[in-house]
Amino acid sequence: MRRSSLQKMSVDDLVDLFAAIGVAQDDACLEGDTTKYNRLFRKMRAVAEELKQRPGDQRRALHRLYAFDNMQVRLMAAKTTLAIAPIDARILLREIADAKWLVQSLDAGMCLWNLERGVFVPN
């Protein structure tokens, strides 16, 4: 995903793209397609970086995805907003971990574990 194309998008469009990528990640995970998932992860990271670079760090706009109907989208929104909304993001990560929703619950639990031990420091 080219940075120049992301720069032309509105914050709302970037949030919608982030959600669409998350849904596609979930599908790739269910299909066992690691290559596709990794490619989508890089695209999502580019979207998150574009939001971060916007005045006022617009990653906060991802907060609206905390109630999204797809667990992968909620997980990635929480992880992406840890640096700017640590309390809300941790609450959502705990909810996901407690949901026992296979892959996403494990990911959320490991994220919390790494945060508590200082292995992972959000930026």
Side-chain angles (χ1 to χ4, degrees), residues 21-51:
I21 293 169
V23 170
Q25 282 179 333
D26 194 29
D27 292 341
C29 188
L30 291 171
E31 295 165 3
D33 192 340
T34 306
T35 302
K36 182 178 179 181
Y37 181 91
N38 290 338
R39 182 175 35 81
L40 290 163
F41 182 85
R42 288 188 295 275
K43 287 182 178 184
M44 182 178 275
R45 190 173 50 205
V47 172
E49 189 58 33
E50 177 59 32
L51 288 166

PDB file of all heavy atoms in Angstrom, residues 21-51:
ATOM      1  N   ILE A  21      -9.383  -4.518   6.283  1.00  0.00           N
ATOM      2  CA  ILE A  21      -8.167  -5.328   6.355  1.00  0.00           C
ATOM      3  C   ILE A  21      -8.282  -6.339   7.496  1.00  0.00           C
ATOM      4  O   ILE A  21      -7.891  -7.501   7.360  1.00  0.00           O
ATOM      5  CB  ILE A  21      -6.917  -4.434   6.514  1.00  0.00           C
ATOM      6  CG1 ILE A  21      -6.686  -3.611   5.254  1.00  0.00           C
ATOM      7  CG2 ILE A  21      -5.689  -5.283   6.835  1.00  0.00           C
ATOM      8  CD1 ILE A  21      -5.652  -2.507   5.404  1.00  0.00           C
ATOM      9  N   GLY A  22      -8.823  -5.901   8.631  1.00  0.00           N
ATOM     10  CA  GLY A  22      -9.003  -6.806   9.762  1.00  0.00           C
ATOM     11  C   GLY A  22      -9.909  -7.976   9.436  1.00  0.00           C
ATOM     12  O   GLY A  22      -9.626  -9.122   9.814  1.00  0.00           O
ATOM     13  N   VAL A  23     -10.987  -7.723   8.726  1.00  0.00           N
ATOM     14  CA  VAL A  23     -11.894  -8.797   8.314  1.00  0.00           C
ATOM     15  C   VAL A  23     -11.154  -9.765   7.377  1.00  0.00           C
ATOM     16  O   VAL A  23     -11.269 -10.991   7.513  1.00  0.00           O
ATOM     17  CB  VAL A  23     -13.162  -8.224   7.655  1.00  0.00           C
ATOM     18  CG1 VAL A  23     -14.001  -9.326   7.010  1.00  0.00           C
ATOM     19  CG2 VAL A  23     -13.986  -7.445   8.670  1.00  0.00           C
ATOM     20  N   ALA A  24     -10.389  -9.211   6.458  1.00  0.00           N
ATOM     21  CA  ALA A  24      -9.621 -10.054   5.540  1.00  0.00           C
ATOM     22  C   ALA A  24      -8.561 -10.861   6.291  1.00  0.00           C
ATOM     23  O   ALA A  24      -8.294 -12.015   5.939  1.00  0.00           O
ATOM     24  CB  ALA A  24      -8.984  -9.193   4.447  1.00  0.00           C
ATOM     25  N   GLN A  25      -7.959 -10.263   7.322  1.00  0.00           N
ATOM     26  CA  GLN A  25      -7.001 -11.003   8.155  1.00  0.00           C
ATOM     27  C   GLN A  25      -7.684 -12.195   8.817  1.00  0.00           C
ATOM     28  O   GLN A  25      -7.118 -13.287   8.878  1.00  0.00           O
ATOM     29  CB  GLN A  25      -6.431 -10.116   9.261  1.00  0.00           C
ATOM     30  CG  GLN A  25      -5.368  -9.165   8.848  1.00  0.00           C
ATOM     31  CD  GLN A  25      -4.891  -8.324  10.032  1.00  0.00           C
ATOM     32  OE1 GLN A  25      -5.622  -8.094  10.982  1.00  0.00           O
ATOM     33  NE2 GLN A  25      -3.660  -7.864   9.939  1.00  0.00           N
ATOM     34  N   ASP A  26      -8.879 -11.970   9.333  1.00  0.00           N
ATOM     35  CA  ASP A  26      -9.627 -13.039   9.986  1.00  0.00           C
ATOM     36  C   ASP A  26      -9.876 -14.172   9.000  1.00  0.00           C
ATOM     37  O   ASP A  26      -9.676 -15.345   9.325  1.00  0.00           O
ATOM     38  CB  ASP A  26     -10.939 -12.481  10.533  1.00  0.00           C
ATOM     39  CG  ASP A  26     -11.623 -13.416  11.506  1.00  0.00           C
ATOM     40  OD1 ASP A  26     -10.936 -14.204  12.188  1.00  0.00           O
ATOM     41  OD2 ASP A  26     -12.857 -13.358  11.604  1.00  0.00           O
ATOM     42  N   ASP A  27     -10.289 -13.832   7.787  1.00  0.00           N
ATOM     43  CA  ASP A  27     -10.514 -14.849   6.755  1.00  0.00           C
ATOM     44  C   ASP A  27      -9.223 -15.604   6.447  1.00  0.00           C
ATOM     45  O   ASP A  27      -9.232 -16.837   6.338  1.00  0.00           O
ATOM     46  CB  ASP A  27     -11.066 -14.212   5.476  1.00  0.00           C
ATOM     47  CG  ASP A  27     -12.473 -13.669   5.638  1.00  0.00           C
ATOM     48  OD1 ASP A  27     -13.176 -14.074   6.599  1.00  0.00           O
ATOM     49  OD2 ASP A  27     -12.878 -12.825   4.813  1.00  0.00           O
ATOM     50  N   ALA A  28      -8.122 -14.877   6.299  1.00  0.00           N
ATOM     51  CA  ALA A  28      -6.841 -15.519   6.003  1.00  0.00           C
ATOM     52  C   ALA A  28      -6.433 -16.458   7.131  1.00  0.00           C
ATOM     53  O   ALA A  28      -5.915 -17.561   6.879  1.00  0.00           O
ATOM     54  CB  ALA A  28      -5.761 -14.463   5.767  1.00  0.00           C
ATOM     55  N   CYS A  29      -6.674 -16.045   8.356  1.00  0.00           N
ATOM     56  CA  CYS A  29      -6.348 -16.877   9.509  1.00  0.00           C
ATOM     57  C   CYS A  29      -7.184 -18.162   9.495  1.00  0.00           C
ATOM     58  O   CYS A  29      -6.657 -19.252   9.705  1.00  0.00           O
ATOM     59  CB  CYS A  29      -6.588 -16.084  10.786  1.00  0.00           C
ATOM     60  SG  CYS A  29      -6.010 -16.915  12.272  1.00  0.00           S
ATOM     61  N   LEU A  30      -8.472 -18.021   9.233  1.00  0.00           N
ATOM     62  CA  LEU A  30      -9.354 -19.190   9.181  1.00  0.00           C
ATOM     63  C   LEU A  30      -8.974 -20.139   8.047  1.00  0.00           C
ATOM     64  O   LEU A  30      -9.141 -21.354   8.161  1.00  0.00           O
ATOM     65  CB  LEU A  30     -10.811 -18.744   9.033  1.00  0.00           C
ATOM     66  CG  LEU A  30     -11.410 -18.052  10.256  1.00  0.00           C
ATOM     67  CD1 LEU A  30     -12.784 -17.468   9.928  1.00  0.00           C
ATOM     68  CD2 LEU A  30     -11.511 -19.018  11.435  1.00  0.00           C
ATOM     69  N   GLU A  31      -8.441 -19.589   6.962  1.00  0.00           N
ATOM     70  CA  GLU A  31      -8.003 -20.391   5.821  1.00  0.00           C
ATOM     71  C   GLU A  31      -6.608 -20.966   6.028  1.00  0.00           C
ATOM     72  O   GLU A  31      -6.145 -21.780   5.226  1.00  0.00           O
ATOM     73  CB  GLU A  31      -8.012 -19.538   4.545  1.00  0.00           C
ATOM     74  CG  GLU A  31      -9.388 -19.065   4.130  1.00  0.00           C
ATOM     75  CD  GLU A  31      -9.353 -17.943   3.102  1.00  0.00           C
ATOM     76  OE1 GLU A  31      -8.251 -17.551   2.660  1.00  0.00           O
ATOM     77  OE2 GLU A  31     -10.437 -17.441   2.762  1.00  0.00           O
ATOM     78  N   GLY A  32      -5.922 -20.519   7.073  1.00  0.00           N
ATOM     79  CA  GLY A  32      -4.551 -20.973   7.322  1.00  0.00           C
ATOM     80  C   GLY A  32      -3.549 -20.388   6.342  1.00  0.00           C
ATOM     81  O   GLY A  32      -2.475 -20.937   6.132  1.00  0.00           O
ATOM     82  N   ASP A  33      -3.879 -19.246   5.753  1.00  0.00           N
ATOM     83  CA  ASP A  33      -3.024 -18.607   4.743  1.00  0.00           C
ATOM     84  C   ASP A  33      -2.142 -17.556   5.409  1.00  0.00           C
ATOM     85  O   ASP A  33      -2.465 -16.365   5.445  1.00  0.00           O
ATOM     86  CB  ASP A  33      -3.897 -17.989   3.651  1.00  0.00           C
ATOM     87  CG  ASP A  33      -3.106 -17.554   2.434  1.00  0.00           C
ATOM     88  OD1 ASP A  33      -1.870 -17.362   2.554  1.00  0.00           O
ATOM     89  OD2 ASP A  33      -3.721 -17.392   1.366  1.00  0.00           O
ATOM     90  N   THR A  34      -1.016 -17.993   5.929  1.00  0.00           N
ATOM     91  CA  THR A  34      -0.096 -17.119   6.653  1.00  0.00           C
ATOM     92  C   THR A  34       0.496 -16.043   5.754  1.00  0.00           C
ATOM     93  O   THR A  34       0.658 -14.900   6.180  1.00  0.00           O
ATOM     94  CB  THR A  34       1.035 -17.943   7.290  1.00  0.00           C
ATOM     95  OG1 THR A  34       0.448 -18.975   8.087  1.00  0.00           O
ATOM     96  CG2 THR A  34       1.941 -17.094   8.147  1.00  0.00           C
ATOM     97  N   THR A  35       0.796 -16.377   4.526  1.00  0.00           N
ATOM     98  CA  THR A  35       1.364 -15.401   3.590  1.00  0.00           C
ATOM     99  C   THR A  35       0.400 -14.243   3.377  1.00  0.00           C
ATOM    100  O   THR A  35       0.786 -13.070   3.432  1.00  0.00           O
ATOM    101  CB  THR A  35       1.702 -16.073   2.253  1.00  0.00           C
ATOM    102  OG1 THR A  35       2.629 -17.139   2.500  1.00  0.00           O
ATOM    103  CG2 THR A  35       2.304 -15.084   1.271  1.00  0.00           C
ATOM    104  N   LYS A  36      -0.863 -14.568   3.159  1.00  0.00           N
ATOM    105  CA  LYS A  36      -1.882 -13.534   2.960  1.00  0.00           C
ATOM    106  C   LYS A  36      -2.047 -12.708   4.230  1.00  0.00           C
ATOM    107  O   LYS A  36      -2.137 -11.474   4.175  1.00  0.00           O
ATOM    108  CB  LYS A  36      -3.205 -14.178   2.572  1.00  0.00           C
ATOM    109  CG  LYS A  36      -4.321 -13.202   2.296  1.00  0.00           C
ATOM    110  CD  LYS A  36      -5.588 -13.935   1.862  1.00  0.00           C
ATOM    111  CE  LYS A  36      -6.714 -12.978   1.609  1.00  0.00           C
ATOM    112  NZ  LYS A  36      -7.958 -13.705   1.219  1.00  0.00           N
ATOM    113  N   TYR A  37      -2.094 -13.381   5.392  1.00  0.00           N
ATOM    114  CA  TYR A  37      -2.237 -12.668   6.653  1.00  0.00           C
ATOM    115  C   TYR A  37      -1.088 -11.678   6.846  1.00  0.00           C
ATOM    116  O   TYR A  37      -1.310 -10.531   7.233  1.00  0.00           O
ATOM    117  CB  TYR A  37      -2.280 -13.649   7.830  1.00  0.00           C
ATOM    118  CG  TYR A  37      -2.455 -12.944   9.153  1.00  0.00           C
ATOM    119  CD1 TYR A  37      -3.720 -12.726   9.671  1.00  0.00           C
ATOM    120  CD2 TYR A  37      -1.364 -12.437   9.856  1.00  0.00           C
ATOM    121  CE1 TYR A  37      -3.898 -12.053  10.869  1.00  0.00           C
ATOM    122  CE2 TYR A  37      -1.529 -11.762  11.048  1.00  0.00           C
ATOM    123  CZ  TYR A  37      -2.793 -11.574  11.553  1.00  0.00           C
ATOM    124  OH  TYR A  37      -2.959 -10.893  12.734  1.00  0.00           O
ATOM    125  N   ASN A  38       0.128 -12.113   6.594  1.00  0.00           N
ATOM    126  CA  ASN A  38       1.291 -11.240   6.774  1.00  0.00           C
ATOM    127  C   ASN A  38       1.248 -10.033   5.848  1.00  0.00           C
ATOM    128  O   ASN A  38       1.601  -8.919   6.248  1.00  0.00           O
ATOM    129  CB  ASN A  38       2.588 -12.028   6.581  1.00  0.00           C
ATOM    130  CG  ASN A  38       2.834 -13.005   7.700  1.00  0.00           C
ATOM    131  OD1 ASN A  38       2.306 -12.862   8.799  1.00  0.00           O
ATOM    132  ND2 ASN A  38       3.625 -14.021   7.419  1.00  0.00           N
ATOM    133  N   ARG A  39       0.796 -10.258   4.606  1.00  0.00           N
ATOM    134  CA  ARG A  39       0.670  -9.141   3.658  1.00  0.00           C
ATOM    135  C   ARG A  39      -0.373  -8.142   4.166  1.00  0.00           C
ATOM    136  O   ARG A  39      -0.159  -6.933   4.146  1.00  0.00           O
ATOM    137  CB  ARG A  39       0.286  -9.682   2.273  1.00  0.00           C
ATOM    138  CG  ARG A  39       0.177  -8.627   1.205  1.00  0.00           C
ATOM    139  CD  ARG A  39      -0.074  -9.207  -0.187  1.00  0.00           C
ATOM    140  NE  ARG A  39      -0.896 -10.392  -0.248  1.00  0.00           N
ATOM    141  CZ  ARG A  39      -2.240 -10.404  -0.215  1.00  0.00           C
ATOM    142  NH1 ARG A  39      -2.904  -9.276  -0.115  1.00  0.00           N
ATOM    143  NH2 ARG A  39      -2.906 -11.542  -0.294  1.00  0.00           N
ATOM    144  N   LEU A  40      -1.471  -8.659   4.661  1.00  0.00           N
ATOM    145  CA  LEU A  40      -2.519  -7.795   5.209  1.00  0.00           C
ATOM    146  C   LEU A  40      -2.046  -7.068   6.462  1.00  0.00           C
ATOM    147  O   LEU A  40      -2.394  -5.904   6.689  1.00  0.00           O
ATOM    148  CB  LEU A  40      -3.770  -8.621   5.515  1.00  0.00           C
ATOM    149  CG  LEU A  40      -4.512  -9.138   4.286  1.00  0.00           C
ATOM    150  CD1 LEU A  40      -5.462 -10.265   4.675  1.00  0.00           C
ATOM    151  CD2 LEU A  40      -5.246  -8.011   3.584  1.00  0.00           C
ATOM    152  N   PHE A  41      -1.240  -7.742   7.275  1.00  0.00           N
ATOM    153  CA  PHE A  41      -0.702  -7.114   8.477  1.00  0.00           C
ATOM    154  C   PHE A  41       0.149  -5.900   8.108  1.00  0.00           C
ATOM    155  O   PHE A  41       0.054  -4.844   8.736  1.00  0.00           O
ATOM    156  CB  PHE A  41       0.119  -8.117   9.293  1.00  0.00           C
ATOM    157  CG  PHE A  41       0.649  -7.536  10.563  1.00  0.00           C
ATOM    158  CD1 PHE A  41      -0.131  -7.505  11.707  1.00  0.00           C
ATOM    159  CD2 PHE A  41       1.934  -6.993  10.616  1.00  0.00           C
ATOM    160  CE1 PHE A  41       0.350  -6.955  12.886  1.00  0.00           C
ATOM    161  CE2 PHE A  41       2.416  -6.442  11.788  1.00  0.00           C
ATOM    162  CZ  PHE A  41       1.629  -6.423  12.920  1.00  0.00           C
ATOM    163  N   ARG A  42       0.964  -6.040   7.078  1.00  0.00           N
ATOM    164  CA  ARG A  42       1.797  -4.916   6.633  1.00  0.00           C
ATOM    165  C   ARG A  42       0.923  -3.756   6.132  1.00  0.00           C
ATOM    166  O   ARG A  42       1.222  -2.591   6.398  1.00  0.00           O
ATOM    167  CB  ARG A  42       2.792  -5.366   5.565  1.00  0.00           C
ATOM    168  CG  ARG A  42       3.910  -6.237   6.109  1.00  0.00           C
ATOM    169  CD  ARG A  42       4.988  -6.520   5.074  1.00  0.00           C
ATOM    170  NE  ARG A  42       4.515  -7.314   3.958  1.00  0.00           N
ATOM    171  CZ  ARG A  42       4.443  -8.642   3.930  1.00  0.00           C
ATOM    172  NH1 ARG A  42       4.817  -9.340   4.985  1.00  0.00           N
ATOM    173  NH2 ARG A  42       4.013  -9.276   2.862  1.00  0.00           N
ATOM    174  N   LYS A  43      -0.156  -4.071   5.440  1.00  0.00           N
ATOM    175  CA  LYS A  43      -1.077  -3.022   4.981  1.00  0.00           C
ATOM    176  C   LYS A  43      -1.729  -2.324   6.172  1.00  0.00           C
ATOM    177  O   LYS A  43      -1.839  -1.101   6.201  1.00  0.00           O
ATOM    178  CB  LYS A  43      -2.158  -3.610   4.070  1.00  0.00           C
ATOM    179  CG  LYS A  43      -1.667  -3.986   2.703  1.00  0.00           C
ATOM    180  CD  LYS A  43      -2.802  -4.502   1.844  1.00  0.00           C
ATOM    181  CE  LYS A  43      -2.306  -4.845   0.453  1.00  0.00           C
ATOM    182  NZ  LYS A  43      -3.419  -5.266  -0.417  1.00  0.00           N
ATOM    183  N   MET A  44      -2.130  -3.111   7.158  1.00  0.00           N
ATOM    184  CA  MET A  44      -2.763  -2.533   8.340  1.00  0.00           C
ATOM    185  C   MET A  44      -1.786  -1.635   9.087  1.00  0.00           C
ATOM    186  O   MET A  44      -2.145  -0.563   9.562  1.00  0.00           O
ATOM    187  CB  MET A  44      -3.285  -3.625   9.262  1.00  0.00           C
ATOM    188  CG  MET A  44      -4.007  -3.081  10.484  1.00  0.00           C
ATOM    189  SD  MET A  44      -4.658  -4.396  11.522  1.00  0.00           S
ATOM    190  CE  MET A  44      -6.218  -4.682  10.698  1.00  0.00           C
ATOM    191  N   ARG A  45      -0.549  -2.072   9.186  1.00  0.00           N
ATOM    192  CA  ARG A  45       0.471  -1.272   9.857  1.00  0.00           C
ATOM    193  C   ARG A  45       0.680   0.051   9.123  1.00  0.00           C
ATOM    194  O   ARG A  45       0.858   1.094   9.751  1.00  0.00           O
ATOM    195  CB  ARG A  45       1.777  -2.058   9.967  1.00  0.00           C
ATOM    196  CG  ARG A  45       2.802  -1.391  10.849  1.00  0.00           C
ATOM    197  CD  ARG A  45       4.014  -2.238  11.103  1.00  0.00           C
ATOM    198  NE  ARG A  45       4.541  -2.747   9.848  1.00  0.00           N
ATOM    199  CZ  ARG A  45       5.263  -3.842   9.744  1.00  0.00           C
ATOM    200  NH1 ARG A  45       5.547  -4.560  10.799  1.00  0.00           N
ATOM    201  NH2 ARG A  45       5.727  -4.234   8.578  1.00  0.00           N
ATOM    202  N   ALA A  46       0.627   0.028   7.802  1.00  0.00           N
ATOM    203  CA  ALA A  46       0.776   1.265   7.014  1.00  0.00           C
ATOM    204  C   ALA A  46      -0.396   2.214   7.281  1.00  0.00           C
ATOM    205  O   ALA A  46      -0.200   3.430   7.404  1.00  0.00           O
ATOM    206  CB  ALA A  46       0.876   0.937   5.529  1.00  0.00           C
ATOM    207  N   VAL A  47      -1.600   1.675   7.381  1.00  0.00           N
ATOM    208  CA  VAL A  47      -2.772   2.502   7.689  1.00  0.00           C
ATOM    209  C   VAL A  47      -2.623   3.105   9.082  1.00  0.00           C
ATOM    210  O   VAL A  47      -2.862   4.305   9.281  1.00  0.00           O
ATOM    211  CB  VAL A  47      -4.080   1.679   7.584  1.00  0.00           C
ATOM    212  CG1 VAL A  47      -5.270   2.475   8.095  1.00  0.00           C
ATOM    213  CG2 VAL A  47      -4.310   1.238   6.139  1.00  0.00           C
ATOM    214  N   ALA A  48      -2.219   2.287  10.050  1.00  0.00           N
ATOM    215  CA  ALA A  48      -2.035   2.777  11.423  1.00  0.00           C
ATOM    216  C   ALA A  48      -0.959   3.856  11.480  1.00  0.00           C
ATOM    217  O   ALA A  48      -1.115   4.870  12.176  1.00  0.00           O
ATOM    218  CB  ALA A  48      -1.677   1.624  12.354  1.00  0.00           C
ATOM    219  N   GLU A  49       0.104   3.672  10.731  1.00  0.00           N
ATOM    220  CA  GLU A  49       1.181   4.663  10.709  1.00  0.00           C
ATOM    221  C   GLU A  49       0.700   5.974  10.095  1.00  0.00           C
ATOM    222  O   GLU A  49       1.046   7.059  10.567  1.00  0.00           O
ATOM    223  CB  GLU A  49       2.387   4.123   9.944  1.00  0.00           C
ATOM    224  CG  GLU A  49       3.620   4.981  10.053  1.00  0.00           C
ATOM    225  CD  GLU A  49       4.108   5.208  11.476  1.00  0.00           C
ATOM    226  OE1 GLU A  49       3.969   4.313  12.327  1.00  0.00           O
ATOM    227  OE2 GLU A  49       4.626   6.318  11.745  1.00  0.00           O
ATOM    228  N   GLU A  50      -0.116   5.883   9.053  1.00  0.00           N
ATOM    229  CA  GLU A  50      -0.679   7.096   8.446  1.00  0.00           C
ATOM    230  C   GLU A  50      -1.566   7.833   9.448  1.00  0.00           C
ATOM    231  O   GLU A  50      -1.488   9.048   9.578  1.00  0.00           O
ATOM    232  CB  GLU A  50      -1.462   6.757   7.180  1.00  0.00           C
ATOM    233  CG  GLU A  50      -2.137   7.947   6.525  1.00  0.00           C
ATOM    234  CD  GLU A  50      -1.182   9.054   6.104  1.00  0.00           C
ATOM    235  OE1 GLU A  50      -0.021   8.762   5.741  1.00  0.00           O
ATOM    236  OE2 GLU A  50      -1.609  10.237   6.135  1.00  0.00           O
ATOM    237  N   LEU A  51      -2.396   7.096  10.165  1.00  0.00           N
ATOM    238  CA  LEU A  51      -3.233   7.727  11.192  1.00  0.00           C
ATOM    239  C   LEU A  51      -2.381   8.378  12.276  1.00  0.00           C
ATOM    240  O   LEU A  51      -2.684   9.478  12.737  1.00  0.00           O
ATOM    241  CB  LEU A  51      -4.183   6.699  11.809  1.00  0.00           C
ATOM    242  CG  LEU A  51      -5.333   6.238  10.926  1.00  0.00           C
ATOM    243  CD1 LEU A  51      -5.993   5.002  11.503  1.00  0.00           C
ATOM    244  CD2 LEU A  51      -6.352   7.359  10.739  1.00  0.00           C
TER     245      LEU A  51
END
